Amino acid sequence: MEYTIIEGNYAKIGVSKMADTVYFTFEGEKEKKCAILLYTPNEEQVKIPVPDEYCIGALRSVGIRGLKWKKLNYNYEFDGKLVFDRHARKVIGREKWADPERLQAHHQVRAGFDFAEFDWCGDRFPEIPREQMVMYKLNVRSFTMDGGALGRKKGTFAGVMDKIPYLKELGVTSLELMPVYEFEELMAPKGVQRDVESWSENAKEGYLLEEDKAPAYKINCWGYLPGDYYAPKASYASTDEPSVELKKLIRELHKNQMECILEMYFDEKMNQNIAVEILRYWVMEYHVDGFHLLGAALSVDAMAQDLILRRTKLFAEGFSQRLFKETPSYPHLFVYNDDFLYASRKLLSCNNGNMPELLNQLKRQNEVFGFVNFVAGNNGFTLADLFSYNEKHNAENGEDNQDGLVWNFSCNCGVEGTTRKRTILEYRKKQMRNAAVLVLIGQGVPLLMAGDEFGNSQQGNNNCYCQDNPTGWVNWSVRKRNAPYAKFVQQMLAFRRQHPILRSSLPMKMYDYASKGYPDLSYHGENAWISSGSLCPHAAGILYYGAYAKRPDGTEDDFLYIGLNFHIQPQSLALPKLPHRMRWYVAADTADKATPFYETPKPVEKKHQIELPAQAIVILVGK
């Protein structure tokens, strides 16, 4: 093997190539003896020492001129110890999902070279305004494993790409992917010794097992653990080029005016400067539109202020107040937490709910940052299970049902789990419709968990992180069985798009600040303009004045009145008086099991009053 060693390029961490030179830049103190280990196809190993003087700060960098890299893999060696490259663009040895052979002591994970060029075909970031966003969260594998005719595309980026027409028809604008960077999905059982020498330093998921015993392991399907952040997950690809397949998915999303948002989990040991560099890399190399930041000690302020990330959407538990001094030209920060979830669930399940709390969540909005609204996510019950189970059923996880959320604020509607009782089944469907309406009438960005739009169930398991089986997979056959509910969700998404007053990016002021004749938002009880005096009312009317929002054609939106009743008995609410020659029409009634959404709104019988069915939501349009 002929080559020439030169000092490297410290500006770019990882492995890069320029002309005939491959540059290796990595963390390494000057006092450590560092070397590059190259592996040939016939398993020969070439060791290239890195000169001590090729060091600036804690970065070592060397260039190898004339290296024939195409059939090589590599690792590093620090003071005689094998170390995997944390900045590798490709991981060799994890191409097969949950491959038991990786548990053997001889198995070795290596870094690969990935200099594949990709034609983005003039791709541009969609930069969808937050008032137009509809988010949809999925796990690449579980979303596509039960996908009918997907074939070899099951569990892959290509499988997700095949679902883009479905997602677009549903009304999704922003796809949130659970971790797609390289992570080790095989989890070591308790008490098993790990073989750190032959595994990635940052994943540390190698371990030794006695050869005469069957491998005992669990699978981490979600990936919320430190990983190899620069490499797309090889087992999520249907080809041997995971980077190309993921780029094709993102390019196709952009062609359909859809965004790609990645979840990124960083633990407390993560170098915060490196974390920012990782986000930059995914934006520049993969055209990623945003990140949901998870983990401990995140430097979200630094990420929010980074110039390259300035137009990248960032989602986090919260941001520092010093970021909110002036309204940005492109708002890109989003608060992503469980506040909306619990306010909604408590009223839906009749579990100590508080109407003022819910009303505040429905109208929460800010000029600088937005909010994400959801009732169900991957951490907890699915939407269908939320109204089918009081207790978690996680025995299959192998942790004595001790894992998963204890407080779910769920309601089984009278029977735990599956039932044939028609009244209970209909009641559950109504509650699912109520939940969907709450998410879609809120001012924040609505988020759906994959499969919730057609009633996917996990049989009461509220922590499916290790269920790589039909329990954890999205069951697409349910879509046909629950077609009426799926249609209702799609109709409500369309209704939200048609009424910009429901998704205004400006906070509601609750008075007529533009002298248009009505407040932008107002609440009503048994009497118009007077909300209930109870501290925790179970029913309330919400009036959105459409003149405070305009449609794309410049026309003003309609009057919208949303009647909420979470009481077990019907309730009567007053309807505000409309301008001359206008009247109220019912657009949706979640208690109507036959046609909960009316393609042609029907007139309200009484001009100034509406009877709300028990535990139901009614939407009226004033025309």
Side-chain angles (χ1 to χ4, degrees):
M1 186 180 292
E2 296 182 2
Y3 56 83
T4 303
I5 298 294
I6 62 174
E7 189 165 6
N9 175 15
Y10 299 94
K12 190 172 184 180
I13 299 179
V15 174
S16 58
K17 185 173 74 75
M18 185 175 296
D20 66 341
T21 303
V22 177
Y23 294 95
F24 297 79
T25 303
F26 53 93
E27 289 182 66
E29 298 291 346
K30 192 172 186 177
E31 291 75 13
K32 293 184 177 180
K33 294 295 181 183
C34 301
I36 301 168
L37 303 178
L38 298 174
Y39 306 95
T40 65
N42 56 4
E43 293 301 311
E44 292 180 5
Q45 181 176 300
V46 178
K47 182 175 180 178
I48 302 177
V50 177
D52 294 343
E53 61 270 23
Y54 289 0
C55 179
I56 295 180
L59 275 185
R60 309 292 291 271
S61 188
V62 63
I64 305 180
R65 184 172 293 160
L67 181 66
K68 307 299 183 182
W69 55 269
K70 289 187 178 181
K71 295 184 178 181
L72 300 177
N73 301 320
Y74 73 96
N75 274 324
Y76 293 128
E77 185 182 88
F78 291 174
D79 292 335
K81 182 179 179 181
L82 191 68
V83 176
F84 182 83
D85 182 8
R86 297 191 305 177
H87 303 93
R89 270 53 169 175
K90 188 174 185 178
V91 175
I92 307 299
R94 296 201 200 116
E95 293 82 0
K96 185 178 179 180
W97 173 265
D99 184 1
E101 289 189 7
R102 295 212 298 271
L103 300 176
Q104 306 306 318
H106 61 79
H107 187 86
Q108 190 177 91
V109 176
R110 300 170 180 173
F113 297 98
D114 186 1
F115 303 131
E117 295 184 2
F118 185 77
D119 184 2
W120 282 101
C121 300
D123 177 70
R124 291 291 181 268
F125 297 95
E127 294 191 351
I128 298 170
R130 73 182 187 207
E131 62 269 19
Q132 297 177 17
M133 290 175 62
V134 173
M135 295 177 64
Y136 189 94
K137 183 176 180 179
L138 62 86
N139 175 279
V140 169
R141 183 169 173 82
S142 66
F143 184 65
T144 57
M145 282 303 293
D146 186 31
L150 287 174
R152 63 177 295 186
K153 295 181 182 179
K154 288 184 177 182
T156 68
F157 300 123
V160 176
M161 191 160 70
D162 281 357
K163 296 290 188 182
I164 288 178
Y166 163 77
L167 295 169
K168 188 173 180 64
E169 183 182 7
L170 181 62
V172 173
T173 68
S174 308
L175 207 60
E176 179 183 353
L177 304 182
M178 292 167 67
V180 297
Y181 50 79
E182 189 63 73
F183 62 88
E184 177 48 66
E185 65 272 14
L186 291 176
M187 296 185 293
K190 294 180 180 179
V192 176
Q193 181 182 356
R194 293 176 174 178
D195 176 21
V196 178
E197 291 296 317
S198 64
W199 285 75
S200 163
E201 270 294 303
N202 58 322
K204 291 185 179 178
E205 290 294 341
Y207 29 82
L208 293 172
L209 294 176
E210 295 182 20
E211 292 186 3
D212 59 340
K213 290 185 179 180
Y217 58 88
K218 289 172 67 175
I219 298 176
N220 186 326
C221 304
W222 291 354
Y224 295 131
L225 70 165
D228 303 310
Y229 293 106
Y230 289 83
K233 188 153 184 58
S235 59
Y236 281 179
S238 61
T239 68
D240 60 356
E241 294 187 307
S243 64
V244 172
E245 191 164 318
L246 178 54
K247 288 175 182 177
K248 284 182 178 179
L249 169 60
I250 296 174
R251 184 180 64 187
E252 192 64 23
L253 286 170
H254 288 180
K255 284 182 180 179
N256 284 274
Q257 280 301 294
M258 298 169 70
E259 298 174 314
C260 180
I261 296 163
L262 301 186
E263 283 196 324
M264 303 295 291
Y265 173 86
F266 300 119
D267 69 6
E268 66 280 355
K269 298 178 181 179
M270 186 67 193
N271 182 311
Q272 296 299 299
N273 294 322
I274 297 296
V276 173
E277 175 63 29
I278 289 169
L279 301 189
R280 287 178 171 181
Y281 170 77
W282 283 94
V283 170
M284 293 187 290
E285 184 69 22
Y286 286 86
H287 293 201
V288 168
D289 302 281
F291 301 98
H292 182 188
L293 304 169
L294 300 169
L298 288 171
S299 182
V300 293
D301 283 11
M303 296 171 179
Q305 293 176 313
D306 184 81
L307 296 181
I308 289 180
L309 303 177
R310 180 59 192 81
R311 300 183 77 86
T312 299
K313 293 175 178 175
L314 300 178
F315 302 79
E317 284 277 341
F319 301 90
S320 129
Q321 289 297 319
R322 65 191 184 90
L323 296 175
F324 309 144
K325 293 181 179 179
E326 58 182 60
T327 303
S329 57
Y330 180 73
H332 71 130
L333 305 180
F334 296 81
V335 174
Y336 194 140
N337 57 32
D338 293 338
D339 291 354
F340 185 94
L341 178 148
Y342 285 113
S344 302
R345 285 190 180 187
K346 285 187 287 185
L347 277 170
L348 287 166
S349 63
C350 299
N351 194 335
N352 200 28
N354 183 302
M355 181 65 81
E357 179 187 8
L358 175 63
L359 295 178
N360 284 330
Q361 291 299 318
L362 286 171
K363 73 178 181 64
R364 64 175 182 169
Q365 192 59 284
N366 188 283
E367 293 183 355
V368 178
F369 59 96
F371 294 88
V372 179
N373 295 340
F374 58 99
V375 174
N378 62 289
N379 187 27
F381 284 139
T382 67
L383 186 61
D385 288 354
L386 188 62
F387 304 110
S388 299
Y389 298 90
N390 280 347
E391 308 295 334
K392 59 182 180 177
H393 295 264
N394 298 356
E396 290 184 4
N397 293 355
E399 300 176 40
D400 296 324
N401 207 36
Q402 298 301 305
D403 63 306
L405 296 173
V406 176
W407 296 103
N408 294 280
F409 294 97
S410 60
C411 176
N412 65 16
C413 303
V415 174
E416 186 75 357
T418 58
T419 181
R420 292 184 178 181
K421 293 185 178 181
R422 187 177 298 275
T423 54
I424 292 178
L425 292 174
E426 291 298 338
Y427 181 57
R428 289 175 175 177
K429 291 175 183 177
K430 182 177 70 171
Q431 290 293 71
M432 289 171 62
R433 292 193 290 268
N434 286 336
V437 170
L438 288 180
V439 171
L440 296 175
I441 64 171
Q443 296 294 119
V445 176
L447 178 142
L448 300 175
M449 189 65 203
D452 278 351
E453 73 275 15
F454 51 74
N456 182 65
S457 172
Q458 293 174 172
Q459 292 77 54
N461 191 317
N462 76 349
N463 189 31
C464 273
Y465 78 99
C466 60
Q467 295 299 318
D468 184 37
N469 51 50
T471 298
W473 299 340
V474 174
N475 183 358
W476 287 90
S477 64
V478 177
R479 181 187 172 198
K480 184 177 293 185
R481 192 160 65 241
N482 290 342
Y485 176 72
K487 181 180 180 181
F488 176 77
V489 173
Q490 191 170 3
Q491 289 170 322
M492 280 303 305
L493 281 163
F495 186 82
R496 179 181 175 88
R497 287 195 302 272
Q498 294 159 7
H499 294 283
I501 191 65
L502 289 176
R503 46 189 173 84
S504 173
S505 61
L506 298 176
M508 293 294 180
K509 298 182 180 181
M510 300 195 68
Y511 69 94
D512 189 16
Y513 60 89
S515 300
K516 292 178 178 288
Y518 291 78
D520 55 357
L521 173 66
S522 55
Y523 299 137
H524 307 266
E526 295 177 0
N527 297 299
W529 307 103
I530 302 175
S531 58
S532 172
S534 170
L535 291 176
C536 299
H538 291 93
I542 307 172
L543 175 64
Y544 290 99
Y545 184 28
Y548 276 93
K550 291 188 176 181
R551 300 184 177 93
D553 62 3
T555 60
E556 293 180 349
D557 200 354
D558 303 312
F559 284 88
L560 294 183
Y561 181 92
I562 300 169
L564 305 174
N565 180 23
F566 297 103
H567 200 278
I568 59 174
Q569 297 293 331
Q571 298 290 303
S572 177
L573 292 179
L575 291 176
K577 186 178 180 180
L578 292 171
H580 185 55
R581 292 183 179 178
M582 295 184 70
R583 65 178 302 178
W584 290 109
Y585 295 83
V586 181
D589 180 353
T590 61
D592 188 335
K593 62 183 180 182
T595 54
F597 190 91
Y598 306 117
E599 296 288 355
T600 303
K602 60 181 184 180
V604 175
E605 294 180 0
K606 299 179 181 179
K607 286 186 178 181
H608 306 300
Q609 193 176 44
I610 184 171
E611 296 293 327
L612 297 180
Q615 293 178 296
I617 301 175
V618 177
I619 300 177
L620 308 181
V621 179
K623 293 185 178 181

